[in-house]
């Protein structure tokens, strides 16, 4: 079936913690080629790094991650033990973007591209979709909530909700984005073709850490089933020409948590290589009907 040419152009970015630097390589190539979606939905690292697309700052995600890779103010065991967050919330989401590697609030606000982040409500285990139009301190915290991994992060309280990692409830939000009008979506995955998620081996620890949130425990326990159904949905959409899928050629060689700037750069550069390979396909997919 041919590619769908009508409808709004979307960009769907799944998470994957530091694997998101591979995605940043792909999306930096898109920005450098002046290729922009009408809307972007990001989950976890897809939100934390994807916000730099709305602020039109290619190179920023890899720059600050490598600069602060071994800075205890940014991330590490000390931060986890003293604040409950492996990635320091105040430094990483307020101090750094305000004064050390400045996030361009004005460009973010001026860009008409819709930007949506996905979080998980720990009381219900359901996804929460939040559109961020302005770069405020609260917006930074919504991005933080989307990327707050269970065990590695404290629950984030915002707008009367208690939130964690959006990937628990909606890892690849293609169906949601289609439901709000985005019919031509580029989907950037961080796992290779053929990947299937297995049941989380850390569930005993999750049950202890999240014991006050039984619905969140249920969502964590079923996450692999949800994720694999979403992979099937994306595959069907790809066959029908509703989306263009970009995925790594093999497993991305970086852990969820890394302090190795050289490895970060290697992962990012591989994302750029794939981005270069796909850029013409993306342009063609996003092109209006002739």
């Amino acid at each position: 079936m041919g590619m769908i040419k009508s409808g709004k152009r979307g960009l769907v970015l799944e998470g994957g913690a530091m694997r998101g630097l591979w995605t940043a390589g792909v999306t930096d190539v898109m920005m450098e080629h002046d290729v922009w979606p009408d809307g972007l939905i990001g989950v976890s690292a897809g939100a934390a790094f994807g916000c730099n697309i709305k602020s039109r700052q290619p190179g920023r995600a890899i720059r600050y991650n490598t600069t602060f890779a071994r800075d205890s103010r940014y991330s590490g065991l000390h931060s986890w033990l003293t604040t409950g967050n492996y990635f320091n919330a105040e430094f990483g989401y307020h101090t750094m973007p305000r004064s050390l590697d400045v996030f361009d609030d004005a460009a973010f606000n001026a860009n008409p591209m819709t930007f949506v982040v996905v979080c998980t409500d720990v009381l219900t285990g359901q996804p929460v979709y939040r559109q961020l139009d302005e770069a405020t301190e609260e917006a930074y915290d919504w991005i933080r909530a989307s990327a707050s991994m269970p065990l590695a992060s404290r629950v984030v309280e915002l707008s009367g909700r208690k939130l964690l990692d959006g990937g628990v409830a909606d890892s690849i939000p293609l169906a949601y984005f289609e439901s709000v009008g985005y019919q031509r979506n580029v989907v950037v995955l961080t796992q290779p073709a053929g990947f299937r998620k297995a049941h989380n081996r850390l569930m005993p620890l999750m049950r202890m850490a999240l014991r006050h949130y039984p619905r969140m425990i249920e969502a964590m326990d079923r996450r692999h089933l949800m994720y694999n159904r979403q992979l099937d949905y994306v595959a069907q959409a790809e066959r029908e020409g509703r989306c263009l899928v970009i995925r790594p050629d093999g497993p991305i060689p970086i852990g969820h948590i890394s302090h190795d700037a050289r490895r970060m750069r290697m992962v990012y550069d591989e994302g750029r290589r794939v981005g270069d390979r796909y850029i013409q396909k993306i342009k063609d997919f996003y092109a209006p009907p002739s």
Side-chain angles (χ1 to χ4, degrees):
M1 198 173 288
M3 288 183 178
I4 291 172
K5 283 294 188 180
S6 60
K8 290 190 291 184
R9 300 165 301 171
L11 180 61
V12 179
L13 305 180
E14 83 157 313
M18 298 310 291
R19 293 198 309 274
L21 290 173
W22 181 90
T23 301
V26 174
T27 57
D28 279 358
V29 169
M30 290 174 63
M31 286 193 273
E32 290 162 10
H33 281 261
D34 205 28
V35 176
W36 307 94
D38 299 310
L40 183 163
I41 187 165
V43 183
S44 194
F49 301 157
C51 62
N52 297 295
I53 301 171
K54 185 167 167 64
S55 67
R56 297 177 181 259
Q57 290 179 279
R60 182 172 177 271
I62 185 60
R63 184 175 63 240
Y64 76 72
N65 274 285
T66 52
T67 298
F68 299 108
R70 296 191 182 277
D71 192 322
S72 62
R73 295 173 300 169
Y74 180 52
S75 66
L77 197 57
H78 179 264
S79 175
W80 188 48
L81 292 174
T82 56
T83 72
N85 294 298
Y86 192 89
F87 290 92
N88 187 284
E90 186 59 34
F91 182 85
Y93 289 91
H94 297 285
T95 303
M96 187 270 291
R98 283 288 180 231
S99 59
L100 299 175
D101 194 320
V102 176
F103 187 72
D104 194 335
D105 291 354
F108 184 98
N109 299 347
N111 189 342
M113 182 187 80
T114 298
F115 179 68
V116 178
V117 301
V118 185
C119 303
T120 300
D121 186 318
V122 299
L123 295 178
T124 65
Q126 295 299 309
V128 176
Y129 306 97
R130 182 77 172 195
Q131 182 172 323
L132 303 177
D133 298 319
E134 294 188 356
T136 62
E137 298 297 330
E138 182 179 329
Y140 290 179
D141 281 327
W142 274 98
I143 294 168
R144 172 167 70 94
S146 179
S148 290
M149 297 179 289
L151 296 185
S153 311
R154 294 170 63 92
V155 170
V156 180
E157 299 193 25
L158 280 171
S159 300
R161 294 180 182 271
K162 294 185 174 185
L163 305 164
L164 280 174
D165 187 349
V168 174
D170 192 351
S171 297
I172 311 169
L174 174 61
Y176 172 79
F177 227 31
E178 288 179 334
S179 77
V180 295
Y182 292 87
Q183 288 95 16
R184 282 187 290 154
N185 292 289
V186 172
V187 180
V188 185
L189 303 178
T190 57
Q191 296 286 6
F195 174 82
R196 304 298 282 185
K197 187 177 283 294
H199 187 252
N200 192 328
R201 293 175 297 175
L202 297 177
M203 277 312 299
L205 279 176
M206 296 289 183
R207 291 182 196 281
M208 288 175 57
L210 299 167
R211 60 191 176 277
H212 300 301
Y213 307 111
R215 296 289 177 83
M216 185 67 173
I217 292 171
E218 290 173 15
M220 291 290 302
D221 204 28
R222 298 192 308 266
R223 184 184 181 187
H224 63 299
L225 303 174
M226 174 274 295
Y227 185 88
N228 293 333
R229 282 196 303 270
Q230 290 191 326
L231 287 178
D232 294 339
Y233 184 89
V234 168
Q236 181 65 26
E238 186 177 25
R239 284 192 294 270
E240 294 176 0
R242 304 200 319 266
C243 73
L244 174 65
V245 181
I246 302 172
R247 51 172 66 86
D249 296 328
I252 297 173
I254 197 167
H256 275 69
I257 292 166
S258 175
H259 299 280
D260 186 338
R262 191 177 135 282
R263 186 168 291 272
M264 291 177 188
R265 173 65 65 176
M266 180 181 72
V267 164
Y268 171 80
D269 287 345
E270 179 57 27
R272 288 193 61 94
R273 280 191 287 274
V274 174
D276 285 334
R277 199 167 77 219
Y278 271 86
I279 192 63
Q280 190 57 51
K281 290 181 181 177
I282 298 169
K283 289 179 179 179
D284 292 344
F285 184 72
Y286 274 165
S290 53

